[in-house]
Amino acid sequence: MESVMSKYENQITIFTDYLEEFPDTDELVWILGKQHLLRTGGTGPSSDAGWGCMLRCGQMMLAQALICRHLGRDWNWEKQKEQPKEYQRILQCFLDRKDCCYSIHQMAQMGVGEGKSIGEWFGPNTVAQVLKKLALFDEWNSLAVYVSMDNTVVIEDIKKMCCVLPVGAHTADESPPDSLPASSQGKGPSATCPAWKPLLLIVPLRLGINQINPVYIEAFKECFKMPQSLGALGGKPNNAYYFIGFLGDELIFLDPHTTQTFVDTEESGIVDDETFHCLQSPQRMSILNLDPSVALGFFCKEEKDFDNWCSLVQKEILKENLRMFELVQKHPSHWPPFVPPAKPEVTTTGAEFIDSTEHLEDFDLEEDFEILSV
């Protein structure tokens, strides 16, 4: 029934700009031989136009991570070609339905716990925090999502979060999976863990006050060269883009601002995926026009990928006197102890759990990131 209601809700999206001109009524309206239902049955938005662009960019970055996770970084989509079953399952994660783990409904609802009302514009850091929490309910993709704080990535914390013991590998006399030996938790590239949980690493940054500080430009561009890169979330005030690369001093980005109608799973279980991909060529903008609030994304499927990323950061990012962010081995002593995030103990699925805002209290709110020096 919910999918049926979702279809009715989206029948009216083409009239989003004119909704205020129509009465709130159960009576059907007929336009050019088609009937439309004005009352959707709910009190929330029937479209994400005007507020959902950063959420859509977050979906893009996460979708790229899942493609790397299941299909490999070299996989490319081809129109009207039969796709792997993993691809169809990835699409299911992002359908505009409340029961899909990374739908805009779920992201907006989880944003309530970050102090954002439904329909309010998100910043890069808020989207990162929302994805981190939603991933706790996603058992299929099984991602470890780490969002850095205070411009600092802590190797020890990431190793502790991503290093897990295989099921049944420990006995009652051995350490449980969340109490790995210090050698696995704290050491860098020389240490290996029994099993690595694929890592989505997001680094929120503020690269200036009102505009990007030019001293960060070269380091920012270097991040797009890294084989672990998932691009960056950012844009202009209240106008988000998904940045995927650069050409000279211009950033290449995908623009989420093309409003499209709702797409649902067909009876065959296949999703009509054409609108999930670029309907126009990527665009470019001068890097100097970038809003200083951004979030870098990286994906490390295996531990060696993360170790390689650390080496690249040491070589290309930390060589500057005014560093874009810091990479440290040990958890800072003045920070609260690091506890890997875990799904709250609830008796429902993730989708049902966050359908009610009263349960959002189970999550600790995190302060906005701040830059320590500009």
Side-chain angles (χ1 to χ4, degrees), residues 54 61 123-126 128-129 146-153 201-209 211-213 216-224 226 231-235 290-298 309 313 317-318 322-327 367-374:
M54 185 61 80
M61 177 179 282
N125 184 55
T126 303
Q129 300 296 342
Y146 178 91
V147 181
S148 67
M149 294 178 58
D150 291 336
N151 300 342
T152 304
V153 176
L201 169 58
I202 304 178
V203 185
L205 299 169
R206 187 165 184 88
L207 303 178
I209 303 300
Q211 60 185 21
I212 186 170
N213 190 326
Y216 295 120
I217 289 179
E218 291 306 314
F220 187 70
K221 289 162 59 175
E222 283 294 330
C223 292
F224 291 99
M226 298 178 180
L233 305 178
L290 180 69
D291 186 87
S293 292
V294 298
L296 297 168
F298 304 94
W309 180 83
V313 169
I317 305 298
L318 303 186
L322 192 58
R323 298 173 177 178
M324 191 166 61
F325 63 88
E326 295 290 343
L327 176 67
E367 295 182 358
D368 289 339
F369 65 89
E370 61 178 357
I371 191 162
L372 301 183
S373 61
V374 292

Side-chain angles (χ1 to χ4, degrees), residues 184-346:
S184 295
Q185 294 180 9
K187 292 188 177 179
S190 62
T192 58
C193 61
W196 178 266
K197 195 172 184 179
L199 170 67
L200 170 56
L201 169 58
I202 304 178
V203 185
L205 299 169
R206 187 165 184 88
L207 303 178
I209 303 300
N210 297 317
Q211 60 185 21
I212 186 170
N213 190 326
V215 300
Y216 295 120
I217 289 179
E218 291 306 314
F220 187 70
K221 289 162 59 175
E222 283 294 330
C223 292
F224 291 99
K225 297 180 182 180
M226 298 178 180
Q228 301 84 3
S229 175
L230 292 177
L233 305 178
K236 301 175 183 179
N238 297 327
N239 202 20
Y241 303 129
Y242 175 36
F243 296 96
I244 58 175
F246 71 93
L247 174 62
D249 286 330
E250 290 185 319
L251 294 174
I252 302 171
F253 67 89
L254 303 181
D255 187 348
H257 293 90
T258 301
T259 304
Q260 302 177 77
T261 56
F262 169 81
V263 175
D264 201 355
T265 309
E266 299 175 356
E267 292 184 4
S268 63
I270 302 299
V271 177
D272 182 3
D273 64 347
E274 186 169 347
T275 60
F276 281 75
H277 299 273
C278 295
L279 300 180
Q280 57 183 352
S281 301
Q283 302 179 53
R284 304 194 308 274
M285 64 174 279
S286 170
I287 194 170
L288 291 174
N289 292 332
L290 180 69
D291 186 87
S293 292
V294 298
L296 297 168
F298 304 94
F299 177 72
C300 302
K301 185 175 182 178
E302 300 177 0
E303 185 180 15
K304 64 180 181 181
D305 298 325
F306 177 64
D307 292 339
N308 174 256
W309 180 83
C310 292
S311 298
L312 290 173
V313 169
Q314 291 280 0
K315 179 181 178 181
E316 303 296 342
I317 305 298
L318 303 186
K319 64 181 180 182
E320 303 292 340
N321 291 330
L322 192 58
R323 298 173 177 178
M324 191 166 61
F325 63 88
E326 295 290 343
L327 176 67
V328 299
Q329 187 70 51
K330 294 291 186 179
H331 185 86
S333 59
H334 61 282
W335 284 12
F338 176 76
V339 178
K343 183 172 71 173
E345 294 296 328
V346 293

Side-chain angles (χ1 to χ4, degrees), residues 2 6 9-10 45 51 55-56 59 95-111 118 134 262 354-355:
E2 179 164 308
S6 296
E9 289 176 11
N10 284 273
W51 60 272
L55 284 75
R56 295 299 187 186
Q59 288 180 324
L95 292 176
D96 290 340
R97 295 169 42 144
K98 292 181 180 178
D99 57 350
C100 295
C101 56
Y102 299 114
S103 69
I104 196 163
H105 303 74
Q106 297 283 40
M107 295 181 70
Q109 189 74 38
M110 189 63 81
I118 294 177
L134 288 178
F262 169 81
I354 66 169
D355 193 39

Side-chain angles (χ1 to χ4, degrees), residues 139-207:
E139 296 182 359
W140 176 57
N141 292 300
S142 187
L143 292 179
V145 181
Y146 178 91
V147 181
S148 67
M149 294 178 58
D150 291 336
N151 300 342
T152 304
V153 176
V154 183
I155 295 175
E156 178 182 38
D157 295 346
I158 290 178
K159 295 272 185 175
K160 183 177 182 180
M161 183 170 63
C162 293
C163 291
V164 294
L165 290 176
V167 176
H170 67 284
T171 65
D173 296 329
E174 296 176 331
S175 299
D178 59 354
S179 300
L180 292 172
S183 59
S184 295
Q185 294 180 9
K187 292 188 177 179
S190 62
T192 58
C193 61
W196 178 266
K197 195 172 184 179
L199 170 67
L200 170 56
L201 169 58
I202 304 178
V203 185
L205 299 169
R206 187 165 184 88
L207 303 178

Side-chain angles (χ1 to χ4, degrees), residues 11-12 14-15 28-37 261:
Q11 282 185 1
I12 199 63
I14 58 174
F15 304 111
L28 292 175
V29 58
W30 287 86
I31 298 176
L32 299 177
K34 293 184 179 181
Q35 64 181 23
H36 301 271
L37 184 64
T261 56

Side-chain angles (χ1 to χ4, degrees), residues 129-142:
Q129 300 296 342
V130 163
L131 292 179
K132 180 176 74 171
K133 292 174 180 179
L134 288 178
L136 299 176
F137 301 97
D138 179 14
E139 296 182 359
W140 176 57
N141 292 300
S142 187

